[in-house]
Amino acid sequence: AKTSGGGALHVYKPELSERVDNRFAMEAMMKMGLAEGQFHAYFQAKRDLKTGRIAGAEALCRWMHPDKGMISPADFIPVAEETGLILQIGNQMLAQACDMAVRCNGPGRPRFVVAVNVSPKQLLHGGFLCDVRRVLEDSGCRAQWLELEITESLLLADLEETVELLEALAEMGLMITIDDFGTGYSAMSYLSRFPIKCLKIDQSFVRDMAQDPEKQILVRAILAMAQGLGLKTVAEGVEDAAAAALLSELDCDYGQGYLWHRPVPAHNFYQLLAASRVA
Ligand code: C2E
Ligand code: CA
Ligand code: CA
Ligand code: CA
């Protein structure tokens, strides 16, 4: 190959093998991290835009590596999905989310729902329903306190199987939310086929909507459609007061974003919630 021209081969080969090495190194590191409990759920508040109260939280995975520090999900979730390790990570996230839900709910308190992100591979691996049942039972968490955030693309993957699974989860009492709404496919017929309760408008529309009329039009349209279908709505990536004001005006139910709260470790989140409930 050296003399037969095609310099491109020599340019790309080292990069590719480096990437593969990294992937295997990453996989080994992840296995160790799982065994040693290095994956932690951080929690970000979801704010009720009518009352201003914290109505729930989203669990977001953080990998605390002893040498490399905090690794963000964008850097390890794709490899976790490829290697199947997402199943173990996902179960640990479910367990930590349920523990938080148990702490935050109780007699005389308003219902508090904790959302977990579920990747397509995790949802469709065949044992998801059992995993959820077991985690609920082990933690004492009610299904009504748990929410699953799934992305739009998943709903087109394997229709029959997905409908049945989501229906079983919804019947148990879990809330199903479409994450990143607006970024995926525009075949929205699934909205009536799946037992969905809530749409989460993607942050790319929300972040600078106050300064961008086109984004505002899209957000308005999504909210009108969701409201017409009787779905709850969440806007993610709310960073400024102007966006928050617009969202309230448009009757969006919940908001999530740096304007109010960043994702924080479990104990900080619990303190934050407790303080907000006394106030
Ligand atoms: P996502 O589910 O769309 O989560 C929202 C992301 O936006 C989070 O990033 C969150 O920290 C960030 N965010 C929240 N508010 C704001 C804001 O006001 N401005 C900006 N610029 N960003 C904001 P994060 O935590 O890095 O997570 C990235 C993605 O990784 C998530 O996107 C989700 O797709 C995935 N992910 C995180 N945890 C898990 C998990 O436990 N399981 C799975 N399968 N995926 C996860
Ligand atoms: Ca999410
Ligand atoms: Ca999202
Ligand atoms: Ca996203």
Side-chain angles (χ1 to χ4, degrees):
K2 235 178 224 165
T3 49
S4 61
L9 195 65
H10 299 282
V11 176
Y12 289 111
K13 224 175 166 183
E15 275 183 18
L16 180 68
S17 64
E18 196 187 320
R19 257 183 18 224
V20 171
D21 277 357
N22 280 341
R23 185 187 161 292
F24 283 119
M26 175 84 106
E27 183 177 358
M29 239 167 66
M30 259 193 298
K31 281 186 179 153
M32 184 170 292
L34 273 163
E36 294 183 353
Q38 294 168 6
F39 291 87
H40 299 277
Y42 270 41
F43 295 88
Q44 185 180 30
K46 290 192 187 180
R47 180 186 173 94
D48 183 321
L49 293 177
K50 297 223 166 57
T51 64
R53 299 216 162 244
I54 299 177
E58 176 179 9
L60 292 157
C61 190
R62 299 288 181 267
W63 181 4
M64 308 303 200
H65 193 274
D67 309 323
K68 297 181 191 295
M70 190 166 92
I71 306 175
S72 77
D75 295 324
F76 66 83
I77 295 283
V79 185
E81 292 210 23
E82 270 176 55
T83 56
L85 290 172
I86 192 69
L87 300 184
Q88 287 171 66
I89 295 176
N91 280 336
Q92 292 194 4
M93 285 309 111
L94 276 172
Q96 293 181 38
C98 286
D99 287 345
M100 180 58 81
V102 169
R103 285 182 78 182
C104 298
N105 281 282
R109 292 175 177 180
R111 182 161 75 121
F112 188 88
V113 181
V114 181
V116 200
N117 292 286
V118 180
S119 79
K121 187 149 183 187
Q122 183 189 0
L123 192 84
L124 297 173
H125 83 284
F128 187 71
L129 203 58
C130 290
D131 288 349
V132 169
R133 282 213 184 89
R134 202 194 51 244
V135 172
L136 289 174
E137 209 173 283
D138 289 351
S139 62
C141 178
R142 291 201 194 149
Q144 287 75 11
W145 302 339
L146 192 60
E147 173 180 355
L148 303 177
E149 293 192 3
I150 58 179
T151 51
E152 255 177 296
S153 56
L154 185 136
L155 300 178
L156 299 163
D158 188 355
L159 213 55
E160 278 319 311
E161 194 189 338
T162 317
V163 174
E164 274 170 33
L165 178 59
L166 292 181
E167 256 159 16
L169 290 160
E171 264 164 41
M172 281 168 66
L174 281 92
M175 166 138 133
I176 316 280
T177 293
I178 306 282
D179 203 352
D180 300 344
F181 188 80
T183 58
Y185 300 79
S186 46
M188 285 184 284
S189 58
Y190 64 74
L191 286 176
S192 57
R193 289 206 57 188
F194 292 96
I196 289 150
K197 283 266 173 60
C198 182
L199 287 191
K200 194 166 192 179
I201 307 171
D202 192 68
Q203 49 180 290
S204 59
F205 304 116
V206 175
R207 236 179 290 145
D208 48 1
M209 65 179 276
Q211 295 79 42
D212 187 333
E214 280 180 8
K215 288 182 181 172
Q216 235 175 88
I217 289 168
L218 294 173
V219 171
R220 268 175 208 277
I222 294 172
L223 285 171
M225 182 192 67
Q227 287 154 4
L229 291 167
L231 302 171
K232 291 277 178 198
T233 48
V234 189
E236 67 176 5
V238 182
E239 293 186 350
D240 58 60
L246 273 170
L247 289 162
S248 299
E249 207 176 288
L250 297 171
D251 286 328
C252 182
D253 296 300
Y254 305 102
Q256 201 183 332
Y258 295 168
L259 171 64
W260 298 295
H261 303 284
R262 287 176 182 261
V264 292
H267 60 275
N268 300 44
F269 181 81
Y270 186 74
Q271 282 169 359
L272 175 90
L273 179 70
S276 81
R277 278 173 165 174
V278 198

